[in-house]
Amino acid sequence: MLKIYDTNHNAIGHIVKYKDLKIEGDVTTGDRTLSFTYMARHHEICEEFYIETQDDEYVVKEKGVSTDGFLSFVAVLNLEELEAKPWSSFSIADSTISDAAKLALAGSGWTVGECTVTKKRNAGILQTNTLGVIQKLCTAFMCEVVYDTKKKTVSFYEQVGQDKGTFFLTGLNLKRLQRKGSSYDYYTRIIPIGQDGLTVESVNDGKNYLENYQYTKKVKTYIWKDESYTDAAALKEDAEAKLKDLSKPEVSYSADIINLAKQKAGYSGFSFSLGDTITLIDAATGIREKQRIIKLTQYPQNHTKDECELANKLPSFEEAREMLFSKDVSRVSNMLISLFTFIMLFSLLPISQRYYSFFVIVTFIDYWDTGDVCRQKWYFILIFILALFLFVMRFYYWRMLLPIPYILEYLYTPTCLLLSHHFNEIDILLNVDTDGTLIKQF
């Protein structure tokens, strides 16, 4: 049962007729996402409404409808109070994360819950909100965060979860397993550099580097610079932790699992949570090793459909965020190139055609670029065919020594400008995704 609140957080009722309820969690960022399909029309649910489950409160961010007439929703954790307070600057020096978080959370209605991180570090960030400060602290202290949206607490752990001796076994609670390994970010030596060129020589027997040959004896050097470090001992401690992950290949697994503990009494020994370390046993591939659950997808209505992602190391908080937004950065870059091309072509137009061409180009780009991916594909093809047709017609009139009709001139100019806009966005045709996979991106 899901409890629904309107945008003013007034309770409007419960919904019980829904399907495909799914909760996704990510240990790296602390994010959780709720999605479901609503099978009735008793309550009008809109974007920015609130949904309360047994464990958390979410904010509706997406609303869709399919051909069967049923509505689907996607909601994220309600962290609005952490997003409300702006910070022009936030900085700490030689502080614990607990003290820093208390300062950041003051006046938000949230407090610090559990905290197992005791080390002291420096951190600073500009132009952000309280949630951004919390995320920056997690990066600086190399720790993980858990948000409790009901108790309104933020907890910090060196590592979320535990090793309870749980295992995933093919034929019992493991349905399918896929392994992926890579050593692109593999290094055995790290040279850490802090503020004002600070090195670790004073606390590392005169050497400015650290080594870890747990996997091979190859020497591969990584230079790590972080201006927030002013203490050599702290710089060495975190560099050792970073190298421990870098000095072994990254191995990850995708697994389809059956959550027996959620389904049957007497199977509590098979329980697991996000962040737990479990033992994978797969006879088909000969795999038997310990891995950590870094992403968990649960279907509360049918736990035989649960999925998880396991790995022997995690991306940092900033790396996880970078993967989410790297495509947006690429998009902005292409827009700047397109803008430059537009200005160059626009300056060559006769003055009589500039004003209407500007209106057409801005209107069409604004409308179509906010459309879905499929529509952009057909739009691009349509503009290309139209431009080719207009070119052939203009050439025909020119070849026959006939005056070119005004309608051709007034269509040809903005069409070519629109086409140039999309030709500059060359990655619309072919691109490489952030994980190295070649993708078509129409």
Side-chain angles (χ1 to χ4, degrees), residues 175-195:
K175 296 193 296 182
R176 185 190 65 87
L177 184 67
Q178 184 175 356
R179 181 187 187 277
K180 180 182 179 181
S182 70
S183 60
Y184 291 110
D185 294 320
Y186 170 70
Y187 298 94
T188 57
R189 177 182 291 176
I190 188 169
I191 301 177
I193 302 173
Q195 191 176 102

Side-chain angles (χ1 to χ4, degrees), residues 120-409:
K120 295 184 177 182
R121 292 292 182 268
N122 304 330
I125 187 171
L126 300 174
Q127 306 301 331
T128 187
N129 54 31
T130 299
L131 182 59
V133 171
I134 297 299
Q135 294 168 351
K136 179 64 177 181
L137 292 176
C138 290
T139 301
F141 285 82
M142 293 185 174
C143 65
E144 296 168 359
V145 63
V146 174
Y147 302 102
D148 189 324
T149 54
K150 286 197 168 182
K151 296 180 180 178
K152 296 189 183 299
T153 61
V154 183
S155 298
F156 302 95
Y157 303 92
E158 293 282 358
Q159 180 173 297
V160 172
Q162 53 187 313
D163 187 349
K164 297 179 287 190
T166 304
F167 57 87
F168 291 163
L169 174 64
T170 304
L172 180 63
N173 58 352
L174 177 62
K175 296 193 296 182
R176 185 190 65 87
L177 184 67
Q178 184 175 356
R179 181 187 187 277
K180 180 182 179 181
S182 70
S183 60
Y184 291 110
D185 294 320
Y186 170 70
Y187 298 94
T188 57
R189 177 182 291 176
I190 188 169
I191 301 177
I193 302 173
Q195 191 176 102
D196 299 326
L198 175 70
T199 64
V200 297
E201 292 171 298
S202 61
V203 293
N204 192 46
D205 300 326
K207 295 186 293 185
N208 71 336
Y209 61 88
L210 303 167
E211 296 174 308
N212 189 324
Y213 298 104
Q214 62 173 314
Y215 185 72
T216 72
K217 297 297 182 182
K218 296 180 180 181
V219 178
K220 299 192 68 179
T221 303
Y222 177 74
I223 299 176
W224 176 47
K225 187 172 183 179
D226 191 326
E227 295 284 346
S228 68
Y229 289 91
T230 57
D231 178 69
L235 180 62
K236 179 185 177 182
E237 179 184 348
D238 287 353
E240 286 176 335
K242 194 173 187 70
L243 185 60
K244 183 179 179 181
D245 283 341
L246 292 173
S247 58
K248 57 186 176 184
E250 180 179 354
V251 179
S252 62
Y253 295 87
S254 296
D256 293 342
I257 54 180
I258 300 173
N259 196 334
L260 295 174
K262 297 278 189 178
Q263 287 189 305
K264 302 178 181 180
Y267 280 81
S268 59
F270 290 89
S271 66
F272 57 87
S273 303
L274 182 65
D276 282 356
T277 299
I278 58 92
T279 302
L280 279 175
I281 305 174
D282 182 29
T285 58
I287 294 173
R288 183 187 178 94
E289 58 185 76
K290 285 184 176 291
Q291 293 289 333
R292 187 167 174 236
I293 302 173
I294 61 171
K295 292 183 180 180
L296 180 60
T297 301
Q298 300 184 80
Y299 293 83
Q301 296 169 305
N302 184 5
H303 283 288
T304 62
K305 296 169 61 178
D306 287 1
E307 303 169 350
C308 69
E309 183 176 325
L310 307 101
N312 60 350
K313 60 181 178 180
L314 293 175
S316 68
F317 194 99
E318 289 178 336
E319 289 170 339
R321 287 297 182 187
E322 182 180 349
M323 287 188 284
L324 290 175
F325 296 113
S326 59
K327 289 184 180 179
D328 290 337
V329 174
S330 175
R331 178 74 172 172
V332 171
S333 175
N334 289 320
M335 286 176 63
L336 292 175
I337 296 174
S338 300
L339 179 62
F340 174 76
T341 306
F342 169 75
I343 293 174
M344 291 294 293
L345 292 174
F346 189 72
S347 65
L348 299 176
L349 293 177
I351 294 178
S352 61
Q353 296 185 20
R354 288 185 182 181
Y355 297 107
Y356 91 92
S357 295
F358 179 77
F359 172 77
V360 172
I361 194 84
V362 170
T363 302
F364 272 72
I365 289 177
D366 178 68
Y367 175 74
W368 287 102
D369 280 4
T370 56
D372 55 52
V373 176
C374 183
R375 186 167 60 182
Q376 286 193 27
K377 173 182 177 179
W378 293 110
Y379 161 65
F380 177 84
I381 295 174
L382 177 65
I383 292 297
F384 180 80
I385 294 174
L386 180 60
L388 184 62
F389 171 76
L390 293 173
F391 174 78
V392 171
M393 292 299 296
R394 290 178 81 253
F395 180 78
Y396 170 79
Y397 278 96
W398 174 79
R399 184 71 175 173
M400 300 299 294
L401 301 177
L402 297 173
I404 299 176
Y406 283 110
I407 185 65
L408 286 183
E409 289 291 355

Side-chain angles (χ1 to χ4, degrees), residues 106-122:
S108 68
W110 285 60
T111 59
V112 176
E114 293 186 71
C115 183
T116 63
V117 184
T118 58
K119 57 189 175 186
K120 295 184 177 182
R121 292 292 182 268
N122 304 330

Side-chain angles (χ1 to χ4, degrees), residues 397-433:
Y397 278 96
W398 174 79
R399 184 71 175 173
M400 300 299 294
L401 301 177
L402 297 173
I404 299 176
Y406 283 110
I407 185 65
L408 286 183
E409 289 291 355
Y410 279 79
L411 282 175
Y412 183 71
T413 301
T415 301
C416 288
L417 286 172
L418 282 167
L419 191 63
S420 72
H421 166 76
H422 282 279
F423 266 128
N424 274 287
E425 295 188 58
I426 195 67
D427 70 338
I428 288 179
L429 298 176
L430 191 63
N431 202 354
V432 176
D433 206 352

